[in-house]
Amino acid sequence: MENRNRTVAVVGAGDFIGAEICKAFAAEGFTIFAGRRNGDKLAPLVAEIEAAGGTIHARSLDARKEDEVVQFMAEAEATAPLEVCIFNIGANVNFPYVETTERVFRKVWEMACYAGFLTGREAAKAMLPRNEGCIFFTGATAGLRGGKGFAAFASAKFGLRAMAESAARELMPQGIHVAHLVIDSGVDTAWVRERMAESGRDRVLMRPASVAQTYIQLWKQPKDAWTFETQIRPSVEAW
């Protein structure tokens, strides 16, 4: 394992995609800063990465709170230069339009859009003096088209995509690779399988480890061939 003396900050280091992203970058020699609402839930991930010889710092982080995001990014940058930042908060909910409360709509926007803005902004502040770095945002199909029951989620993901594109147009000429990833399929998690069982539907799901490899591929792209937006789905997925 090459020790590159660099950090990757993962905001939204959940049990599935987020955890696999952390493991994938740890395997590349990065020091990991992993944040999620309840940092205690990161203990199994910490144990796995450390057992494999990696370094990870686990933090409780509410990415809707500016001071917490500022502190999280500053600590990552102070440990070693921040080379990659990944915003991976989902906030997927489904409610009938007239049953979507003000609180739900606002909370989903805060989690999936506003928190992404704070994360990307603070990462850019650390990276711009070096004119290098990568900021990747996890999006969804809902960020490309609205759907029944997804007024809150789709509007937040549309906003995240717009924010990411604006950041990319401004930051990429300054050496910062900004990318938006559209996850166009169900991911193999316990929650998704429960929903499939309830609906009686069966479909091929993406393995979180496979999704994580897309982030590695984006990080490795040469500067003269950067991707802003990529869509990933299983080979048999209808689209």
Side-chain angles (χ1 to χ4, degrees):
M1 181 186 300
E2 180 185 1
N3 183 1
R4 308 182 71 252
N5 195 31
R6 298 280 179 164
T7 59
V8 56
V10 181
V11 175
D15 295 331
F16 300 100
I17 293 178
E20 293 298 334
I21 290 171
C22 290
K23 288 188 282 187
F25 277 94
E28 296 286 344
F30 279 80
T31 294
I32 310 299
F33 268 77
R36 64 182 293 177
R37 184 79 64 85
N38 185 344
D40 292 341
K41 292 183 178 181
L42 289 166
L45 177 64
V46 171
E48 184 173 354
I49 287 178
E50 291 182 343
T55 302
I56 178 171
H57 302 274
R59 299 290 183 266
S60 292
L61 173 66
D62 186 341
R64 300 170 299 170
K65 296 182 178 179
E66 183 178 34
D67 58 340
E68 292 190 21
V69 175
V70 170
Q71 181 179 347
F72 181 76
M73 292 298 175
E75 188 178 0
E77 170 69 12
T79 300
L82 180 65
E83 182 168 315
V84 182
C85 174
I86 296 169
F87 178 77
N88 185 58
I89 293 178
N92 187 347
V93 298
N94 184 291
F95 289 99
Y97 188 72
V98 297
E99 296 176 19
T100 302
T101 65
E102 182 274 340
R103 180 178 180 275
V104 164
F105 192 93
R106 175 168 42 84
K107 184 177 180 180
V108 171
W109 172 79
E110 288 177 346
M111 293 172 64
C113 184
Y114 175 64
F117 158 71
L118 293 176
T119 297
R121 186 194 68 186
E122 291 308 305
K125 287 180 180 179
M127 295 172 181
L128 279 171
R130 295 186 291 273
N131 297 115
E132 65 176 7
C134 299
I135 304 173
F136 301 149
F137 299 93
T138 300
T141 311
L144 304 178
R145 58 180 183 272
K148 180 181 177 181
F150 291 110
F153 183 59
S155 61
K157 285 297 187 181
F158 262 81
L160 180 72
R161 182 178 184 272
M163 186 277 298
E165 186 171 9
S166 296
R169 292 176 182 273
E170 181 175 341
L171 298 175
M172 286 171 75
Q174 301 182 73
I176 312 299
H177 185 185
V178 179
H180 178 255
L181 292 83
V182 178
I183 311 300
D184 186 29
S185 177
V187 177
D188 194 355
T189 68
W191 180 76
V192 170
R193 289 199 172 276
E194 287 174 6
R195 292 189 62 184
M196 286 171 53
E198 292 170 359
S199 66
R201 294 179 61 198
D202 190 23
R203 63 189 296 190
V204 175
L205 300 175
M206 291 191 289
R207 292 180 296 115
S210 299
V211 176
Q213 285 305 306
T214 301
Y215 296 83
I216 296 293
Q217 292 162 11
L218 286 169
W219 161 62
K220 290 183 176 181
Q221 284 184 336
K223 187 174 290 188
D224 60 343
W226 274 350
T227 295
F228 164 65
E229 186 165 76
T230 186
Q231 301 182 25
I232 59 173
R233 58 183 64 84
S235 60
V236 297
E237 181 79 9
W239 60 288

